[in-house]
Amino acid sequence: MSAVIVTVVLAFVGYIATYTNNVRLSQRQERLARINRQLSELYGPLFSISEAHSRTFAEFRRRHSRNGVSPFVGETPPTAEELTEWRLWVTSVFLPTLRSMRDLVVQNADLLIEPEVPEVLLQLCAHVSGYEITVARWEQGDHSEHLSIVHYPADELAAYINRSFTLLKAAQARLLGRRRLRRLLQT
């Protein structure tokens, strides 16, 4: 009789261990799948587009600034040529890029790391909307305004995107068991 009890107890313990392990593996796979989606559908593209935007804007500033200072800063107003060039860059390069970033945030808000949309992303969306009205006025021939009504959070946005992307890549590596490989790549 005791052999039967031991067998039943061992079978039950084995079942519980297998069940617990399967639940843990399933949860890990779900976490990995979510992180992969966050990286591929939101933070990866956001990181790439943001970096491209920053580099393009830096090149614009290098070519068109007054000794490293924006023509919109200081006492001397921008020239007609500077304003024409600015409008061209905004409509052809900057606004399409910013719209892409905004659209990624809006369409993939469910993939955000945080439970609520961070202020810096709301600021980005508002900045884009501010430029959309400015560009609409340009299209009507009104060139009295040249900037968005909402400030672009360049440094804060770059820091947020870099931090989020790095955090997710580290979590992905942990779930894939790549900690050792990551350490080797860093040295």
Side-chain angles (χ1 to χ4, degrees), residues 145-156:
E145 296 290 329
H146 281 84
L147 302 174
S148 174
I149 58 172
V150 178
H151 171 72
Y152 179 66
D155 294 336
E156 301 91 345

Side-chain angles (χ1 to χ4, degrees), residues 139-172:
E139 291 168 354
Q140 295 176 344
D142 178 357
H143 298 135
S144 61
E145 296 290 329
H146 281 84
L147 302 174
S148 174
I149 58 172
V150 178
H151 171 72
Y152 179 66
D155 294 336
E156 301 91 345
L157 184 62
Y160 170 78
I161 293 169
N162 287 332
R163 184 176 54 252
S164 299
F165 184 78
T166 302
L167 177 86
L168 287 169
K169 288 300 285 183
Q172 182 188 50

Side-chain angles (χ1 to χ4, degrees), residues 38-49 104 161 165 168:
Q38 288 174 306
L39 286 168
S40 68
E41 296 176 26
L42 178 59
Y43 289 100
L46 197 56
F47 178 81
S48 300
I49 294 169
L104 281 168
I161 293 169
F165 184 78
L168 287 169

Side-chain angles (χ1 to χ4, degrees), residues 14-119:
Y15 170 77
I16 294 295
T18 300
Y19 174 79
T20 303
N21 189 49
N22 287 342
V23 167
R24 193 177 57 80
L25 288 174
S26 177
Q27 289 171 338
R28 182 181 180 138
Q29 284 300 104
E30 288 174 15
R31 281 194 314 270
L32 181 59
R34 177 164 172 77
I35 288 170
N36 287 340
R37 281 194 61 223
Q38 288 174 306
L39 286 168
S40 68
E41 296 176 26
L42 178 59
Y43 289 100
L46 197 56
F47 178 81
S48 300
I49 294 169
S50 174
E51 282 296 310
H53 177 73
S54 295
R55 292 171 190 209
T56 304
F57 190 77
E59 185 59 25
F60 169 83
R61 269 198 353 219
R62 190 186 70 74
R63 291 180 182 208
H64 300 287
S65 66
R66 300 174 181 168
N67 299 322
V69 177
S70 167
F72 296 102
V73 175
E75 295 181 20
T76 307
T79 66
E81 294 81 20
E82 288 172 327
L83 292 175
T84 299
E85 190 69 17
W86 176 251
R87 287 191 300 270
L88 177 65
W89 277 79
V90 167
T91 57
S92 302
V93 179
F94 302 142
L95 188 54
T97 303
L98 291 169
R99 281 179 177 148
S100 296
M101 292 169 61
R102 183 229 16 227
D103 292 348
L104 281 168
V105 170
V106 170
Q107 293 166 4
N108 297 293
D110 63 311
L111 296 175
L112 290 169
I113 295 171
E114 302 83 4
E116 295 181 10
V117 180
E119 180 62 31

